[in-house]
Amino acid sequence: DNVGVTGYLLERSPGVGSTNFAQIATPAATNYSDSGLAATNTYNYRVRARDAAGNLSGYSGVASATTSNVPPPTGLVLAYGFDAGSGTTVTDASPSAITGSINAATWTTSGRYGDALSFNGTTAYVNVGNPTPLKLTGSMTLEAWVMATGVPADDGQIIAKSDSTSPLVGWQLKTSPDTGVRTFGIAVSPDGSSHVQRYGTTVVALNTWYHVAGVYN
């Protein structure tokens, strides 16, 4: 019907001609600003209306737009959208242009915004090597969208740079150790034995999306 509309279901699909749509928002108004997109990428959109009883209209036609080649924010070192949907590598949207290699992780369409990578909690990871931009000596911010579907046996590493010969020489954005409730935290270690660690107060619930950020200064 065309009366009693209470909102809209907005879906997006990245890539020229892509039909892999996923819902990204439920705006109440007839305009919406989509932020945080990669530069020089094409995105496709479609929408349905919803009334107070939950009835849905048919889909609109597909509208497409391509983002401009706007430089990312100053200081951005790495940025991975994990939205390619296929392949064995991930593309860096930052000026560093460092390609990551996927190991044991699998593609899923159930991401926070469309496609994502699913990790098995043991052997799956994305390897970005040890490039110069990651040899950080000052302050830094690490952030990610995360949904935990199970509890790993030890720290749940989200982003980490480590010396492979030690438990941790470097830094981690992670969940807390294997005892007690899980929270998110950040850890820095110079030698693999002593750690500076700080944890948040939010208890990590399973099957829930979180935007996690850790700051070291």
Side-chain angles (χ1 to χ4, degrees):
D1 65 67
N2 62 353
V3 296
V5 172
T6 59
Y8 304 89
L9 280 64
L10 179 63
E11 299 182 1
R12 181 181 69 201
S13 178
V16 176
S18 172
T19 58
N20 186 22
F21 285 94
Q23 184 176 312
I24 61 169
T26 55
T30 55
N31 58 348
Y32 180 79
S33 178
D34 196 9
S35 60
L37 303 176
T40 62
N41 275 21
T42 297
Y43 296 89
N44 312 292
Y45 299 87
R46 66 183 184 184
V47 65
R48 289 186 289 176
R50 177 173 58 190
D51 67 13
N55 299 311
L56 297 175
S57 74
Y59 282 107
S60 69
V62 176
S64 300
T66 301
T67 53
S68 62
N69 188 20
V70 177
T74 301
L76 188 63
V77 174
L78 295 177
Y80 298 105
F82 291 169
D83 56 0
S86 62
T88 59
T89 61
V90 291
T91 302
D92 179 15
S94 82
S96 304
I98 299 167
T99 299
S101 299
I102 301 172
N103 293 266
T106 56
W107 290 104
T108 174
T109 58
S110 302
R112 181 65 179 88
Y113 297 108
D115 291 328
L117 279 177
S118 177
F119 299 88
N120 59 22
T122 53
T123 60
Y125 61 95
V126 171
N127 183 12
V128 299
N130 187 32
T132 298
L134 281 183
K135 297 175 182 178
L136 303 172
T137 58
S139 61
M140 61 181 175
T141 300
L142 312 170
E143 57 183 315
W145 278 104
V146 179
M147 178 197 281
T149 59
V151 179
D154 205 337
D155 294 359
Q157 297 185 29
I158 302 168
I159 308 173
K161 182 182 180 183
S162 301
D163 182 337
S164 61
T165 61
S166 304
L168 169 64
V169 177
W171 38 259
Q172 290 179 321
L173 180 65
K174 62 177 184 174
T175 60
S176 52
D178 49 35
T179 56
V181 297
R182 294 296 178 116
T183 59
F184 293 110
I186 189 168
V188 178
S189 174
D191 55 17
S193 57
S194 60
H195 294 73
V196 176
Q197 301 185 86
R198 296 292 183 269
Y199 293 101
T201 58
T202 299
V203 176
V204 180
L206 297 182
N207 302 305
T208 301
W209 280 104
Y210 294 92
H211 182 263
V212 186
V215 179
Y216 169 74
N217 189 344

